[in-house]
Amino acid sequence: MEKLYERESYLLSSSRSLRHSRRSNIHAKSACKARKRLTNQEFMPSEYYTSYIPFITATPKEDFIPVGNTNRQKIAGGELLPTSSIVLYIAETVKSRTIPFVLVWFCFMLFNLSDAWAQSAETRAAEGQTEIKPLQIGDTIPEELWNMPLQVVNHPEGKDTITLNDYRDKKLIILDFWATWCKSCIEGFPNLSRLQKEFPQQLDVLLVNTVQTKDTPSKVQQLLERYKKVHDYKLDLPYLLEDTLFQQLFRHKIIPHVVWLDGDLRFIGSSHSYEVTTKNITDFLENGRIDFFQKDDYGTANRGESSSDDIEVSRFYRYQDGPRSKTLKTDTVGDYVNYNIVNQPLSYMIELAWGMRNVPKSLWIFPESPDGDRLRRAIRRLSSNPPIDLFCYTFKTSNDNSFDVFRRNFRQDLQDFLGYQITVQEDSVKVRVLKPTQRLAQFKTTGGILQSQTNPENMPMYLQNVHITGLQMYLSNLFREPTLVGKHDIDVAIDFELPDNLYELSDTDLESLVQAMGFDVIHETRLVTTYQFTEIL
């Protein structure tokens, strides 16, 4: 199991031998440091709370964009016809046999285009502006931009305008890209506020809302007023609205998107929001380096596609940034059928391979060993975040009975990949049942934005405004022995501070904890279906 997250990509050919792909994976090391937030079945209202921005699709040809010029069709005050429109117009006129006129017109347009760009360049030079090129890790924001005025809202000192130069006295600057329609962005604000207070002299956090989000001052104000009314939450972090600078410097198409800068305004990395933890910030402040999964919305990492000519070939590979998560998809190319799964948890893959989707994860039984414990936490997804517990799989076959062949091979590949044999059993077993009682009312929430801080690298761990149904399921998954949730009609959300050693507690200690929270624990024997994991020696 320890080797599971050291693997990059594995090819499994029709001979069933496991062979390592020689393709490199830029996430091979850092992926092992990631952690996963709770999902819908546990605490969070949506699977990953990841919001996509489909209209940010700049290609390398669009890397250079004039500062303050958000519309390429407007340059030096004039209107330019997009290249695609020119091409289409030419095609239509060719049909109508007016090409001589078109050629004259096209040459005239090219002249005007070059002249407009020249005028634009002169204007930018006169105004002290520069063209912006997206930064790569290790690049420093150009000095010409350090004193550019940026309109800021909600600044702690009441400022209306700031510059990048204002932040150079801090060791770490975090830019958090967000939008009013991104719920996970908003729910990440309390964590950022806490970290800002924890490192006041060394850290500055700046929220960035770009023009691509289509947000307006009124939309933002309405959102903040709603959160104040419903959750009694008041944002205490400064933010930029309708930004055009940072969106050009730091390309992305998925939010939340977090950019890390050092005090010299050097780009040291970008991450998902769950990487913004006390541990990662402390590591950088003390050691001058970061060690987390680098977010890559444009998917420049190896996708694991196989170029093998084998009749049957399959491959497991790690979480890939860029593409959306996809459950099993099939497509036929010539004589071959391709099966693909993208960025899915191991639990989904196991349920798909064995065709059993109604077995609670608290009835997935693992060996009592350090390896078994790590596998249990990864599959039940207790405290980790993607990408460490999300994987991809691809299988190609020419067999007529392709799905049966896929499932048979998929089962074997999973077991080879995990190093565990998996069996489904139905038997009478001793189980523990967690039943909520009215004693939970002692921890009834005082309000606030939903928070489930269960990452041991981001202490303290606590629950805020978490409904009893999600809490009950989460707690059942902490136990090593079979545990079920009891039926109830209690409708309450709670606040609760979790112990720092939560994931090291024995089942006996966990029982004491849930009883103190307000659950009754009942031991009985039931006929249940379980997944059994046995290590392959």
Side-chain angles (χ1 to χ4, degrees):
M1 176 59 197
E2 197 165 9
K3 294 182 179 179
L4 172 62
Y5 298 119
E6 296 173 3
R7 297 172 180 170
E8 299 175 8
S9 174
Y10 282 88
L11 288 172
L12 296 103
S13 64
S14 54
S15 62
R16 312 309 316 133
S17 61
L18 190 68
R19 69 181 192 272
H20 185 266
S21 167
R22 294 187 180 181
R23 297 187 181 189
S24 63
N25 186 329
I26 65 170
H27 303 316
K29 181 179 179 181
S30 56
C32 298
K33 294 293 184 181
R35 294 291 183 265
K36 169 76 178 75
R37 291 180 72 181
L38 298 177
T39 62
N40 182 36
Q41 290 75 22
E42 290 150 359
F43 292 146
M44 311 310 290
S46 64
E47 179 59 17
Y48 302 123
Y49 270 165
T50 301
S51 303
Y52 287 76
I53 313 179
F55 38 83
I56 305 180
T57 55
T59 64
K61 293 183 179 179
E62 299 172 331
D63 280 351
F64 294 87
I65 305 176
V67 172
N69 204 340
T70 60
N71 188 344
R72 280 295 192 100
Q73 300 178 28
K74 296 181 180 180
I75 299 179
E79 296 286 336
L80 295 180
L81 189 64
T83 305
S84 57
S85 300
I86 296 173
V87 172
L88 290 173
Y89 183 79
I90 292 174
E92 290 299 322
T93 52
V94 167
K95 289 182 181 179
S96 61
R97 300 182 181 181
T98 59
I99 190 64
F101 169 78
V102 172
L103 286 176
V104 173
W105 175 82
F106 185 64
C107 292
F108 175 77
M109 287 300 298
L110 285 178
F111 175 80
N112 278 340
L113 178 63
S114 60
D115 183 60
W117 270 110
Q119 293 179 38
S120 180
E122 292 172 2
T123 301
R124 292 194 303 274
E127 295 178 357
Q129 295 180 346
T130 185
E131 292 184 354
I132 305 302
K133 180 179 180 179
L135 299 184
Q136 304 298 317
I137 293 176
D139 291 346
T140 299
I141 296 178
E143 289 189 33
E144 307 93 278
L145 304 176
W146 290 4
N147 292 307
M148 176 179 292
L150 304 171
Q151 300 300 312
V152 67
V153 184
N154 205 40
H155 194 277
E157 298 176 8
K159 295 181 179 179
D160 295 324
T161 304
I162 58 172
T163 67
L164 288 171
N165 205 44
D166 297 340
Y167 290 85
R168 297 192 62 229
D169 62 333
K170 298 297 175 74
K171 287 187 176 181
L172 178 63
I173 302 108
I174 288 180
L175 306 178
D176 182 54
F177 291 81
W178 67 289
T180 58
W181 40 262
C182 171
K183 192 172 184 180
S184 61
C185 297
I186 313 304
E187 293 185 350
F189 289 170
N191 180 55
L192 293 171
S193 296
R194 180 185 64 80
L195 291 169
Q196 177 72 85
K197 294 181 178 71
E198 187 175 346
F199 302 95
Q201 304 304 319
Q202 300 165 299
L203 169 70
D204 259 328
V205 176
L206 179 62
L207 308 180
V208 182
N209 191 311
T210 70
V211 293
Q212 275 95 338
T213 68
K214 308 300 183 184
D215 279 336
T216 62
S218 61
K219 284 184 180 180
V220 173
Q221 187 61 32
Q222 289 172 12
L223 172 83
L224 297 179
E225 289 176 357
R226 184 169 74 251
Y227 268 82
K228 174 63 177 175
K229 180 178 180 180
V230 176
H231 301 292
D232 193 26
Y233 173 74
K234 185 179 186 301
L235 180 64
D236 57 0
L237 293 170
Y239 63 89
L240 304 181
L241 187 58
E242 297 177 328
D243 163 74
T244 59
L245 173 63
F246 291 123
Q247 72 177 16
Q248 297 172 41
L249 288 172
F250 308 107
R251 297 173 67 220
H252 63 281
K253 58 181 179 180
I254 303 172
I255 57 175
H257 180 77
V258 181
V259 168
W260 301 59
L261 304 170
D262 67 14
D264 294 324
L265 300 181
R266 181 171 61 94
F267 179 27
I268 58 177
S270 58
S271 74
H272 296 276
S273 58
Y274 52 76
E275 299 284 15
V276 186
T277 64
T278 300
K279 180 182 182 301
N280 283 334
I281 291 175
T282 301
D283 283 350
F284 176 76
L285 295 177
E286 294 181 354
N287 306 313
R289 58 183 174 81
I290 55 176
D291 191 10
F292 54 65
F293 187 89
Q294 292 289 340
K295 187 167 177 281
D296 177 23
D297 289 357
Y298 290 86
T300 56
N302 168 43
R303 292 274 174 245
E305 294 87 348
S306 173
S307 59
S308 171
D309 293 328
D310 291 344
I311 294 177
E312 288 182 3
V313 63
S314 57
R315 182 198 298 266
F316 269 104
Y317 54 105
R318 257 202 206 92
Y319 171 89
Q320 300 291 295
D321 259 336
R324 294 179 183 231
S325 298
K326 293 180 181 178
T327 53
L328 179 65
K329 303 295 181 184
T330 64
D331 65 275
T332 303
V333 180
D335 296 331
Y336 294 94
V337 180
N338 296 312
Y339 293 85
N340 292 286
I341 300 171
V342 180
N343 294 342
Q344 290 296 321
L346 292 171
S347 57
Y348 165 79
M349 295 187 175
I350 292 169
E351 290 171 334
L352 176 65
W354 273 265
M356 299 286 291
R357 302 196 178 189
N358 58 348
V359 180
K361 293 183 182 64
S362 57
L363 294 180
W364 296 30
I365 312 303
F366 305 89
E368 294 186 9
S369 66
D371 259 6
D373 209 41
R374 279 191 287 269
L375 182 62
R376 175 181 64 87
R377 289 179 60 176
I379 289 181
R380 293 185 180 178
R381 310 176 79 187
L382 299 177
S383 64
S384 59
N385 280 304
I388 197 172
D389 58 353
L390 297 182
F391 295 86
C392 306
Y393 179 75
T394 182
F395 177 74
K396 180 183 74 173
T397 181
S398 62
N399 196 296
D400 292 336
N401 195 14
S402 62
F403 186 77
D404 289 342
V405 173
F406 158 75
R407 175 168 281 180
R408 183 175 65 250
N409 282 272
F410 189 33
R411 285 185 182 183
Q412 188 61 50
D413 289 350
L414 266 171
Q415 294 179 128
D416 291 343
F417 187 65
L418 295 174
Y420 283 81
Q421 182 179 353
I422 304 172
T423 56
V424 179
Q425 299 180 8
E426 185 176 31
D427 202 357
S428 293
V429 299
K430 292 181 179 180
V431 298
R432 176 186 293 103
V433 182
L434 306 184
K435 186 174 182 179
T437 72
Q438 293 298 333
R439 300 197 308 275
L440 282 159
Q442 64 183 311
F443 300 108
K444 184 177 180 180
T445 184
T446 57
I449 296 178
L450 169 67
Q451 297 284 290
S452 55
Q453 296 292 345
T454 60
N455 186 346
E457 294 186 355
N458 199 30
M459 294 295 186
M461 296 194 296
Y462 65 93
L463 310 174
Q464 177 179 290
N465 205 0
V466 172
H467 193 270
I468 183 61
T469 302
L471 172 65
Q472 186 182 20
M473 186 172 295
Y474 173 69
L475 293 174
S476 71
N477 284 325
L478 292 173
F479 290 89
R480 292 161 181 80
E481 297 173 352
T483 304
L484 298 173
V485 295
K487 294 181 179 180
H488 67 91
D489 56 1
I490 299 176
D491 183 17
V492 65
I494 71 166
D495 299 336
F496 193 84
E497 185 171 344
L498 299 168
D500 293 349
N501 63 340
L502 176 67
Y503 301 112
E504 283 70 50
L505 294 179
S506 66
D507 280 8
T508 300
D509 291 334
L510 284 170
E511 275 200 18
S512 299
L513 175 66
V514 299
Q515 287 171 337
M517 294 176 73
F519 289 88
D520 282 343
V521 180
I522 303 168
H523 292 267
E524 57 188 40
T525 299
R526 290 191 184 183
L527 179 66
V528 294
T529 300
T530 62
Y531 277 110
Q532 299 283 339
F533 291 77
T534 306
E535 188 170 4
I536 299 174
L537 302 177

